[in-house]
Amino acid sequence: VPKKMKPAGNGKEESPVPCKQVKAEAAGGPSILNLESPSGFFESFISPIKKPLLIQRNDSALSLCSQGIYYVRDVNVCLCVNGKKKVLNKDGKAHFLQLRKDFDQKKATFQFHQPQRFKDELWQIQEKLECYVSSLVSYNVYITPGGSQGLPAHYDDVKVFILQLEGEKHCHLCPPTVALAREYSMEAEARIGTPTHEFTLKPGELLYLPRGTIHQVDTLPGMGHSTHVTISTYQNNSWGDFLLDTISGLVFDTEKEDVALQSGIPWQLLLQVETTTVATRRLSGFLRSLADQLEGTKELLSSNMKKDFVMHRLPPYYMGDGTELLTQPPFENKVIPV
């Protein structure tokens, strides 16, 4: 996502990233994925994949460095040490020789944010997914040397698809300690319990992790490096988020006609605890009245969530020569119909 969506697994909003540079030529060659429609894509995406989705060598760390990438905004360098995450980020621009040293000598993992800015095929996939699920979608690419682990056991506040690109990843999955997690969290080994699944993820294989699933992945000693891409979605997209969004609009409209909602609250209500019972009873009555009104409404005023989605999603993938897109306003200012 060009601006809003957070990289999976950090739990904090990142600063805006540059918009993707549109290429003059469309991606060529046959695809094992059906990109004709959002529903057709999703069906082919979750079906068994017989071939890996390859990120070519000209999009390697060296090539990305030549385009100008920066720590935190574009890449995180991290390592799991004694069950804890150790961040090796420097300040400013990331240089290839330093990244290579961290990778070879310290066995650090690279987490590249939003690689769809550099790879058209990922942009195509993201655009179709965002249209299908009506929720923002985010990418991260993880490159881990052999015999290493980048992140300790943790769970995410998003649904995650993991597509293995190169090498192999040894995976442990454990049952959630928090149902439908609302935030990213590291989990102490004493809490994660016995793994329910243990397997090796190979190139071309796809793994789906429901929100809150505790997972821990590493590369085996003596093996080459591993590269996988995580596709995450459904952040802040729960019934609770929808309720918070719709109830404010409903109260705003109802207050225009309902004199009771316009009346002032009792003096010192916010300071005196003993009046809480009276206030709770009054609020309960207002909520029942709003529920009755909601039953009869024909339109749900989910304006903020809709605005967030429309303003920050990727535009449809353009198969022309790119001239038209280059003359349009920035992606985040384009209104794209769902």
Side-chain angles (χ1 to χ4, degrees):
V1 181
K3 183 176 180 181
K4 180 65 180 292
M5 188 66 178
K6 300 179 287 187
N10 69 352
K12 297 180 180 179
E13 185 169 331
E14 296 286 348
S15 58
V17 296
C19 294
K20 180 186 184 299
Q21 299 300 309
V22 181
K23 295 181 180 179
E25 71 279 0
S31 173
I32 60 174
L33 298 174
N34 179 2
L35 296 169
E36 296 298 322
S37 68
S39 59
F41 164 74
F42 191 74
E43 183 177 351
S44 66
F45 178 65
I46 62 175
S47 66
I49 297 177
K50 302 302 183 184
K51 301 178 182 179
L53 172 65
L54 176 63
I55 294 184
Q56 296 174 337
R57 288 297 181 183
N58 59 9
D59 277 348
S60 65
L62 177 60
S63 177
L64 289 176
C65 286
S66 68
Q67 300 183 46
I69 62 172
Y70 292 82
Y71 289 106
V72 181
R73 188 195 72 176
D74 300 309
V75 63
N76 278 332
V77 181
C78 56
L79 179 66
C80 179
V81 180
N82 297 324
K84 296 183 178 181
K85 179 181 177 180
K86 181 178 181 180
V87 178
L88 304 179
N89 290 342
K90 306 295 188 295
D91 293 328
K93 189 175 181 179
H95 297 282
F96 174 74
L97 292 179
Q98 180 62 54
L99 291 177
R100 188 77 192 188
K101 180 179 179 181
D102 290 337
F103 190 81
D104 291 339
Q105 299 180 14
K106 297 182 180 180
K107 298 294 183 180
T109 288
F110 299 153
Q111 178 192 26
F112 289 102
H113 306 318
Q114 316 300 15
Q116 74 278 8
R117 290 177 286 151
F118 310 103
K119 193 67 177 176
D120 277 358
E121 288 82 356
L122 295 179
W123 181 19
Q124 278 186 290
I125 292 172
Q126 181 173 349
E127 181 259 317
K128 290 296 186 295
L129 273 178
E130 287 183 337
C131 187
Y132 183 79
V133 300
S134 296
S135 178
L136 295 176
V137 171
S138 180
Y139 282 113
N140 283 308
V141 169
Y142 292 85
I143 306 177
T144 303
S148 182
Q149 181 177 332
L151 298 173
H154 67 280
Y155 59 77
D156 297 301
D157 62 336
V158 288
K159 298 175 183 288
V160 179
F161 297 91
I162 297 178
L163 180 59
Q164 186 70 19
L165 304 180
E166 298 177 310
E168 298 180 354
K169 270 281 172 64
H170 186 221
C171 305
H172 293 83
L173 306 184
C174 299
T177 54
V178 177
L180 298 178
R182 292 280 298 165
E183 59 184 3
Y184 170 88
S185 178
M186 299 291 185
E187 278 290 8
E189 291 187 8
R191 290 196 62 199
I192 63 176
T194 303
T196 55
H197 299 79
E198 183 177 353
F199 53 89
T200 298
L201 200 62
K202 299 180 180 181
E205 295 183 339
L206 181 71
L207 171 64
Y208 168 64
L209 299 177
R211 182 158 45 111
T213 302
I214 298 174
H215 51 285
Q216 180 172 279
V217 298
D218 59 82
T219 54
L220 298 176
M223 303 291 289
H225 73 275
S226 164
T227 303
H228 74 264
V229 58
T230 62
I231 306 172
S232 59
T233 187
Y234 250 59
Q235 190 170 57
N236 300 328
N237 216 56
S238 68
W239 277 109
D241 296 307
F242 191 58
L243 179 62
L244 288 172
D245 190 27
T246 56
I247 199 69
S248 59
L250 184 62
V251 171
F252 182 81
D253 288 344
T254 304
E255 189 177 14
K256 297 176 183 178
E257 309 294 335
D258 192 337
V259 177
L261 284 174
Q262 299 176 23
S263 61
I265 63 175
W267 290 357
Q268 297 183 338
L269 169 64
L270 301 180
L271 301 179
Q272 295 182 347
V273 179
E274 60 267 20
T275 61
T276 300
T277 302
V278 176
T280 300
R281 188 179 302 117
R282 193 73 183 274
L283 287 174
S284 297
F286 287 143
L287 289 174
R288 293 188 187 95
S289 177
L290 289 174
D292 291 339
Q293 182 168 333
L294 183 61
E295 290 284 350
T297 189
K298 295 182 179 179
E299 182 179 358
L300 293 175
L301 302 177
S302 57
S303 57
N304 290 331
M305 290 180 72
K306 288 180 179 178
K307 179 181 178 181
D308 181 52
F309 174 67
V310 171
M311 294 296 288
H312 296 116
R313 67 170 295 207
L314 280 181
Y317 183 81
Y318 186 66
M319 296 300 291
D321 60 7
T323 304
E324 180 180 340
L325 282 179
L326 288 173
T327 60
Q328 296 299 313
F331 293 161
E332 58 264 32
N333 294 329
K334 296 185 70 176
V335 177
I336 307 298
V338 177

